[in-house]
Amino acid sequence: MTDRRGFLKASVLGASAVALAGGAHALTGASGTNKGNTGARVISTWDFGVAANQAAWGVLSKGGNALDAVEAGVMIPEADLKNHSVGRAGYPDRDGHVSLDASIMDADGSCGAVAALEHIAHPIQVARRVMERTPHVLLVGDGALQFALEQGFPREELLTPESEAAWKEWLKTAHYQPSANSEVRDYGKTGMPGGKDNHDTIGMLAIDANGRLAGACTTSGMAWKMRGRVGDSPIIGAGLYVDGDVGGATSTGVGEEVIRNVGSFLVVELMRHGRSPQDACREAVMRIVKRRPAASKDLQVGFLAMNKHGEVGAFAIQSGFSYAVCDATKQDGLIPSKSVY
Ligand code: ASP
């Protein structure tokens, strides 16, 4: 393990210019000017990933590890009352219950997750406790809540007045229709980065100064979903997958499609077989599109990946997906993903 870490560190530090997908952003000069953060990088899904990355960078730039960084990072949108697709203030299910999904994964395959968890504002912290303090990987529903309360997390009402008002408005038609993000950037108005979405996720991947990878993923899932519905985000291999020997991947969009294709695992396996992060994300998206060509015209799925060298890629079905990149050279990068449509 020590040897492998040493190799990874060398390969990250040795990269004088790591090109990122789309050519919009590059890491130049792991010059060591910022002590402790050379070669570290964090990426995450959507506009709200910028603030989340900065919190993660607070850990990475002090020489902290990737696992602590991704946990701290995704807690930002989990706590954001303007964000109606993650954590507290997430839109509820069709019966008015806010139910949250989250997962976390370390470079060595350790992982933990919670699904359909109610009343706990930071599901990512509970996911980490599942990983570190139980013999299990995934706890769901009442059992996940019981575990969280035993661990000392406070039981809270997560439905905010704004989310409740939106739910009551939805009840007038009660029509369940996941809507793909548009290009309109009015996240502040709607709580959804695409402007008219009713679903999104923060998926985050980080590599620390020692070349160690970790990932986290957290969401309130599809607004107005059936009670008990679980998306891709807490399913290891679907919404998140990390293999320290290869890289990591995470997803956003209609979770059912990601689960059907075990999307994040697929992206990592493609990288294992030599594909770049960008190519691997594209191939995983095309797998979904090819299997369901008609349906895919109206739905959004996006993948984001980083390999063990810190190279980044993304691809989505619809335009409008963006991802945030943060490293020693730039802490507020936001890059539009390439897409099929
Ligand atoms: N993947 C999430 C889910 O299906 C939603 C999203 O990211 O848009 O729960």
Side-chain angles (χ1 to χ4, degrees):
M1 184 59 94
T2 311
D3 286 343
R4 183 172 68 82
R5 281 200 212 156
F7 168 74
L8 292 178
K9 185 173 181 182
S11 64
V12 171
L13 296 180
S16 61
V18 180
L20 298 185
H25 193 90
L27 171 67
T28 48
S31 59
T33 43
N34 288 311
K35 232 183 173 176
N37 63 17
T38 309
R41 173 173 285 163
V42 56
I43 60 174
S44 56
T45 53
W46 298 112
D47 319 39
F48 46 62
V50 173
N53 281 356
Q54 286 166 355
W57 189 250
V59 176
L60 295 174
S61 61
K62 293 186 186 75
N65 71 52
L67 191 69
D68 291 339
V70 294
E71 181 185 12
V74 302
M75 284 175 68
I76 299 298
E78 279 187 342
D80 183 353
L81 295 182
K82 293 199 301 302
N83 188 324
H84 297 300
S85 61
V86 179
R88 186 196 294 278
Y91 282 154
D93 64 20
R94 66 182 189 180
D95 300 320
H97 306 278
V98 179
S99 107
L100 305 176
D101 295 341
S103 62
I104 192 160
M105 191 160 189
D106 206 354
D108 64 358
S110 304
C111 52
V114 288
L117 173 63
E118 297 177 20
H119 302 297
I120 303 292
H122 287 295
I124 198 66
Q125 290 187 303
V126 187
R128 183 162 179 181
R129 296 283 176 94
V130 172
M131 175 174 96
E132 291 178 341
R133 300 191 186 178
T134 81
H136 307 305
V137 165
L138 173 62
L139 293 180
V140 307
D142 286 348
L145 176 60
Q146 181 185 328
F147 172 68
L149 297 174
E150 284 165 8
Q151 289 292 309
F153 292 95
R155 182 190 176 107
E156 298 180 67
E157 178 52 72
L158 303 182
L159 188 67
T160 61
E162 292 74 23
S163 296
E164 189 172 9
W167 169 58
K168 287 190 171 150
E169 187 59 31
W170 175 78
L171 279 177
K172 290 179 183 164
T173 57
H175 176 57
Y176 181 77
Q177 177 65 60
S179 52
N181 58 285
S182 71
E183 304 236 34
V184 183
R185 320 300 303 173
D186 61 353
Y187 161 55
K189 256 203 283 184
T190 66
M192 299 292 171
K196 63 186 174 82
D197 266 359
N198 50 24
H199 56 91
D200 281 312
T201 295
I202 177 117
M204 177 178 280
L205 301 163
I207 188 164
D208 62 31
N210 290 317
R212 191 173 174 92
L213 285 155
C217 187
T218 173
T219 187
S220 52
M222 313 301 282
W224 338 129
K225 62 196 174 186
M226 290 174 69
R227 188 151 201 218
R229 180 268 185 186
V230 169
D232 55 322
S233 307
I235 309 296
I236 296 298
L240 178 69
Y241 196 71
V242 175
D243 182 331
D245 289 336
V246 178
T250 188
S251 64
T252 182
V254 178
E256 283 75 5
E257 300 304 327
V258 179
I259 293 170
R260 284 183 181 111
N261 293 279
V262 202
S264 291
F265 181 74
L266 174 60
V267 171
V268 172
E269 287 310 292
L270 288 164
M271 291 195 293
R272 188 190 308 279
H273 293 286
R275 302 286 193 97
S276 68
Q278 169 82 18
D279 239 34
C281 289
R282 186 179 174 284
E283 176 67 29
V285 162
M286 292 317 294
R287 188 79 60 95
I288 294 170
V289 171
K290 276 180 199 147
R291 291 180 98 178
R292 293 162 73 83
S296 71
K297 291 213 164 59
D298 293 320
L299 60 85
Q300 176 64 304
V301 170
F303 290 104
L304 177 63
M306 178 156 67
N307 67 18
K308 68 180 183 183
H309 305 297
E311 293 166 336
V312 175
F315 208 81
I317 300 179
Q318 312 290 337
S319 64
F321 174 46
S322 57
Y323 59 100
V325 180
C326 172
D327 57 33
T329 64
K330 190 168 164 58
Q331 280 88 59
D332 61 355
L334 183 67
I335 299 174
S337 168
K338 293 196 167 122
S339 60
V340 180
Y341 302 116

